[in-house]
């Protein structure tokens, strides 16, 4: 009775812990060791594969360049109704003047113009011209302040007027040879309260000088825009009664004289720079792309555009991408079919030859991998041209006339021939590995039962080789739709793929958003085809051998 009571509790391990607890701990340790073993591979995949794809998908909808470069203009346009048919009011042009001036100092106005030029041709030159002209507009105010008093000519006087006492003390103790960053600019509280617009512009100027130019702020003359901002504050009756110390007298004198200053009508000034600034379509385009995220890149990728009235098709002469997508799919299917037709008999021969002979012939299949892709493609360009080896051979055999040589290069034919040659090993290898596992006795058994050679092949052998065809087709098709070097060299204008357009936008036009959208659509198409293949054939039936 006592022994039964003693053994009625949980079973214990050798260390005295309950066996279930010990087993769970051991299982967790095994999982942790397994995770640590694959952690480097997971990290590698995350950094080199998942992260770039995520970044591409983000770039395809990211559109912060407009709001970041034109923050004041974007704010003003939020209240503008484009349906009125009138250009934005004077306040919007005032905001545009400040934004373009700052953008020009930071060399960002040309990037913004290039971005919007994808949506409306001519905007790039519009911003480029304006970037050169806004300085002249601002200098109208700078010259009048400097003519009024020499105090306004010195950058050191400006820093004494605008900077806080603590910041000025820190700057006096700072040396460029100290190896430390100069103290971050701090504005005086009384100046910030009395001159808000001047403070905002001067702080942007200070940030630019200290961080981007890495110059000593106290010795730098302010932007001409700072003078325009000072006039704006003084013209609305800024309360200067609380300002004392350096520059207070000069500031009061400027306030008294501000009413006599010559002013700039920025609406008219921008019209003089370029008449397109009074084109309502320009402002509609800017307003349409002010949100931080946009569907515009994806619309462009399918030959549409984002307009104030919603998505609409582009003019017929601007429609390109849908045609390239269709061409890419069609030619990839043709290349895949060509590889099947050429690779299947080669793989069958290799699988049914003696091992020694098959290994020697396999070297010929793998030989292209030992040669540069660029060299192989260039060789086809030499062979396929009208005075090349292929045409010369056809003329010598009398198949074609000398004055009727075939056009085999710079078209779809050249792309299909060259890419079939390049991708053929990717079809042969999985076919060979699957065929090698098919016992020859199956065919002999079929023939012994009365089947003809064709029936035995079609009813017995071919169905067992379908997994190899599936594996090879997936490899060749996915590789072919992403190729761009070979189509670029031998494809001309009619044999290029959508991947060539993606490469163009990444390396030449620098329209990374559109390139990302095109790449994202291509990725979705591949995943959709992969899903369809799995539903129809079954991915479990794809084999690389064994």
């Amino acid at each position: 009775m006592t022994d039964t009571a003693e053994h009625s509790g949980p079973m214990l391990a050798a260390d005295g812990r309950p066996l279930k607890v010990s087993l769970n701990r051991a299982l967790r340790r095994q999982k942790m060791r397994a995770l640590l073993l694959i952690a480097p591979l997971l990290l590698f995949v995350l950094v080199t594969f998942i992260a770039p794809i995520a970044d591409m998908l983000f770039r395809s909808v990211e559109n912060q360049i407009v709001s970041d470069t034109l923050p004041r203009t974007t704010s003003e346009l939020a209240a503008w109704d484009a349906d009125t048919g009138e250009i934005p009011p004077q306040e919007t042009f005032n905001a545009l003047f400040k934004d373009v001036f700052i953008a020009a100092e930071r060399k960002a106005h040309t990037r913004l113009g290039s971005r919007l030029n994808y949506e409306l041709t001519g905007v790039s030159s519009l911003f480029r011209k304006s970037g050169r002209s806004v300085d002249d507009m601002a200098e109208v105010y700078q010259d009048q302040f400097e003519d009024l008093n020499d105090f306004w000519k010195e950058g050191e006087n400006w820093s004494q007027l605008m900077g806080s006492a603590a910041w000025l003390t820190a700057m006096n103790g700072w040396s460029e040879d100290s190896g430390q960053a100069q103290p971050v600019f701090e504005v005086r509280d009384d100046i910030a309260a009395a001159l808000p617009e001047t403070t905002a512009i001067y702080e942007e100027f200070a940030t630019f000088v200290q961080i981007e130019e890495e110059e000593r702020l106290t010795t730098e003359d302010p932007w001409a825009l700072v003078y325009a901002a000072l006039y704006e504050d003084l013209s609305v009756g800024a309360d200067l009664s609380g300002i004392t110390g350096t520059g207070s007298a000069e500031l009061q004198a400027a306030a008294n004289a501000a009413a006599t200053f010559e002013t700039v009508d920025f609406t008219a000034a921008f019209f003089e720079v370029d008449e397109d600034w009074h084109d309502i379509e320009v402002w509609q385009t800017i307003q349409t792309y002010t949100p931080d995220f946009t569907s515009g890149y994806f619309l462009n990728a399918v030959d549409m555009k984002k307009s104030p009235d919603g998505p609409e098709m582009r003019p017929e002469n601007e429609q390109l991408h849908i045609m390239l997508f269709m061409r890419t799919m069609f030619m990839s299917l043709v290349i895949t079919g060509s590889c099947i037709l050429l690779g299947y008999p080669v793989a069958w021969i290799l699988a049914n030859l003696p091992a020694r002979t098959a290994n020697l012939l396999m070297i010929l299949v793998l030989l292209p991998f030992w040669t540069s892709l660029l060299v192989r493609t260039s060789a086809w360009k030499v062979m396929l041209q009208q005075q090349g080896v292929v045409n010369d051979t056809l003329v010598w055999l009398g198949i074609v006339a000398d004055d009727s040589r075939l056009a085999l290069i710079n078209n779809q034919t050249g792309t299909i021939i060259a890419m079939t040659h390049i991708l053929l090993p990717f079809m042969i290898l999985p076919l060979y590995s699957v065929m090698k596992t098919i016992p020859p006795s199956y065919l002999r058994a079929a023939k012994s039962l009365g089947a003809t050679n064709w029936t035995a092949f079609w009813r017995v052998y071919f169905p067992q080789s379908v997994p190899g065809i599936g594996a090879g087709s997936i490899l060749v098709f996915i590789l072919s739709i992403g190729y761009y070097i070979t189509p670029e060299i031998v494809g001309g204008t009619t044999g290029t793929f959508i991947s060539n357009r993606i490469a163009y936008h990444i390396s030449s036009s620098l329209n990374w958003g559109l390139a990302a959208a095109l790449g994202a659509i291509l990725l979705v198409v591949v995943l959709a085809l992969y899903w369809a293949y799995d539903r129809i054939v079954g991915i479990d039936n794809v084999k690389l051998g064994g």
Side-chain angles (χ1 to χ4, degrees):
M1 187 72 177
T2 305
D3 293 341
T4 303
E6 290 177 355
H7 293 288
S8 61
M11 185 176 294
L12 303 179
D15 58 359
R17 291 188 178 92
L19 182 60
K20 185 176 181 179
V21 174
S22 297
L23 289 175
N24 288 336
R25 289 186 61 188
L27 185 60
R28 283 197 300 270
R29 289 174 181 173
Q30 288 181 349
K31 290 182 178 179
M32 186 62 67
R33 283 196 295 266
L35 181 61
L36 291 175
L37 287 174
I38 65 172
L41 178 60
L42 288 176
L43 183 62
F44 177 80
V45 171
L46 179 65
V47 173
T48 63
F49 185 72
I50 303 299
I53 290 179
D55 181 66
M56 177 192 71
L57 295 175
F58 175 74
R59 286 181 180 274
S60 65
V61 296
E62 185 269 335
N63 188 56
Q64 297 176 1
I65 185 173
V66 179
S67 58
D68 287 349
T69 309
L70 303 177
R72 297 170 180 82
T73 309
T74 297
S75 178
E76 292 291 338
L77 285 177
W80 175 62
D81 185 4
D83 295 334
T84 62
E86 300 291 334
I87 61 174
Q90 176 73 27
E91 291 77 14
T92 305
F93 282 92
N94 294 351
L96 179 68
F97 158 67
K98 297 172 185 175
D99 287 337
V100 172
F101 187 101
I102 296 171
E105 290 292 335
R106 291 175 171 163
K107 305 297 188 293
H109 65 300
T110 53
R111 291 192 292 109
L112 173 62
S114 298
R115 166 66 187 96
L116 294 176
N117 201 69
Y118 303 140
E119 316 303 333
L120 182 64
T121 304
V123 177
S124 178
S125 62
L126 196 62
F127 276 94
R128 191 163 50 250
K129 290 179 185 177
S130 302
R132 295 193 296 263
S133 302
V134 288
D135 197 57
D136 295 334
M137 301 179 196
E139 285 178 356
V140 172
Y141 297 98
Q142 179 179 359
D143 292 343
Q144 293 179 91
F145 274 102
E146 291 181 348
D147 291 342
L148 184 65
N149 194 303
D150 289 344
F151 173 86
W152 304 110
K153 296 181 179 181
E154 299 295 333
E156 188 171 354
N157 293 337
W158 272 97
S159 63
Q160 293 286 333
L161 172 66
M162 302 296 296
S164 66
W167 176 75
L168 289 170
T169 301
M171 284 299 297
N172 289 333
W174 176 78
S175 171
E176 295 180 4
D177 299 329
S178 64
Q180 298 178 343
Q182 58 179 303
V184 178
F185 173 74
E186 294 179 1
V187 70
R188 287 167 52 179
D189 292 337
D190 52 351
I191 288 290
L195 306 173
E197 192 60 29
T198 308
T199 299
I201 300 299
Y202 192 87
E203 285 181 331
E204 291 202 48
F205 159 74
T207 301
F208 175 77
V209 170
Q210 290 186 312
I211 297 178
E212 298 186 34
E213 289 194 333
E214 297 182 350
E215 299 291 342
R216 188 181 184 95
L217 178 57
T218 54
T219 60
E220 290 295 310
D221 294 336
W223 290 335
L225 180 62
V226 177
Y227 295 88
L230 177 58
Y231 170 79
E232 182 178 337
D233 284 329
L234 296 178
S235 64
V236 296
D239 182 10
L240 307 179
S241 59
I243 298 177
T244 58
T246 304
S248 58
E250 289 80 4
L251 192 59
Q252 186 61 57
N256 296 334
T260 64
F261 277 16
E262 176 189 353
T263 60
V264 177
D265 182 349
F266 293 111
T267 303
F270 276 100
F271 182 78
E272 291 181 8
V273 173
D274 196 306
E275 295 180 2
D276 285 345
W277 278 119
H278 282 204
D279 184 352
I280 193 172
E281 189 176 5
V282 171
W283 288 102
Q284 287 175 333
T285 301
I286 296 174
Q287 185 187 54
T288 300
Y289 286 90
T290 53
D292 290 343
F293 299 96
T294 179
S295 60
Y297 290 122
F298 279 100
L299 292 174
N300 286 342
V302 292
D303 296 329
M304 300 179 71
K305 64 179 179 180
K306 188 177 181 181
S307 68
D309 299 326
E312 61 182 39
M313 292 299 298
R314 287 188 173 275
E316 189 174 348
N317 61 345
E318 295 181 11
Q319 295 180 14
L320 172 66
H321 298 122
I322 292 179
M323 180 269 293
L324 284 176
F325 274 115
M326 295 177 63
R327 179 195 294 172
T328 300
M329 294 299 109
F330 169 74
M331 293 182 64
S332 296
L333 288 173
V334 172
I335 292 166
T336 302
S338 301
C339 287
I340 293 174
L341 292 176
L342 295 175
Y344 196 94
V346 173
W348 185 86
I349 292 172
L350 291 173
N352 290 277
L353 283 175
R356 182 180 178 86
T357 305
N359 290 337
L360 291 175
L361 294 178
M362 183 60 71
I363 295 176
L364 299 179
V365 175
L366 299 175
L367 190 60
F369 289 128
W370 304 343
T371 308
S372 168
L373 172 64
L374 190 60
V375 172
R376 284 180 281 162
T377 305
S378 300
W380 276 113
K381 190 172 183 67
V382 173
M383 293 179 64
L384 295 177
Q385 60 183 319
Q386 288 193 319
Q387 302 301 323
V389 175
V390 175
N391 266 299
D392 284 347
T393 303
L394 294 176
V395 170
W396 178 72
L397 293 174
I399 298 176
V400 298
D402 189 39
D403 57 349
S404 302
R405 290 173 176 256
L406 302 178
L408 302 175
I409 200 68
N410 297 328
N411 51 31
Q412 294 186 17
T413 303
T415 300
I416 292 172
I417 292 174
M419 289 188 62
T420 298
H421 163 249
I422 290 170
L423 297 177
L424 189 58
F426 294 98
M427 180 65 72
I428 293 175
L429 292 175
L431 278 171
Y432 168 74
S433 63
V434 170
M435 290 177 177
K436 197 67 177 173
T437 65
I438 301 175
S441 59
Y442 287 5
L443 285 177
R444 292 196 297 268
K447 292 178 183 179
S448 68
L449 294 174
T452 63
N453 288 336
W454 169 252
T455 302
F457 167 78
W458 185 249
R459 299 288 297 275
V460 177
Y461 192 88
F462 182 78
Q464 297 182 79
S465 66
V466 167
I469 295 176
S473 297
I474 289 177
L475 283 173
V476 172
F477 183 81
I478 292 179
L479 287 172
S480 63
I481 63 175
Y483 257 59
Y484 69 94
I485 295 178
T486 301
E488 182 70 24
I489 295 176
V490 302
T493 57
T494 62
T496 53
F497 287 5
I498 192 65
S499 52
N500 295 100
R501 196 67 182 170
I502 295 173
Y504 165 75
H505 286 307
I506 289 177
S507 60
S508 298
S509 73
L510 302 182
N511 189 354
W512 288 6
L514 179 55
L518 292 170
I521 292 175
L522 196 61
L523 176 63
V524 171
V525 169
V526 171
L527 293 177
L529 291 173
Y530 183 85
W531 175 83
Y533 183 92
D534 183 38
R535 297 283 294 183
I536 297 171
V537 179
I539 201 64
D540 293 338
N541 294 324
V542 174
K543 298 179 181 177
L544 293 175

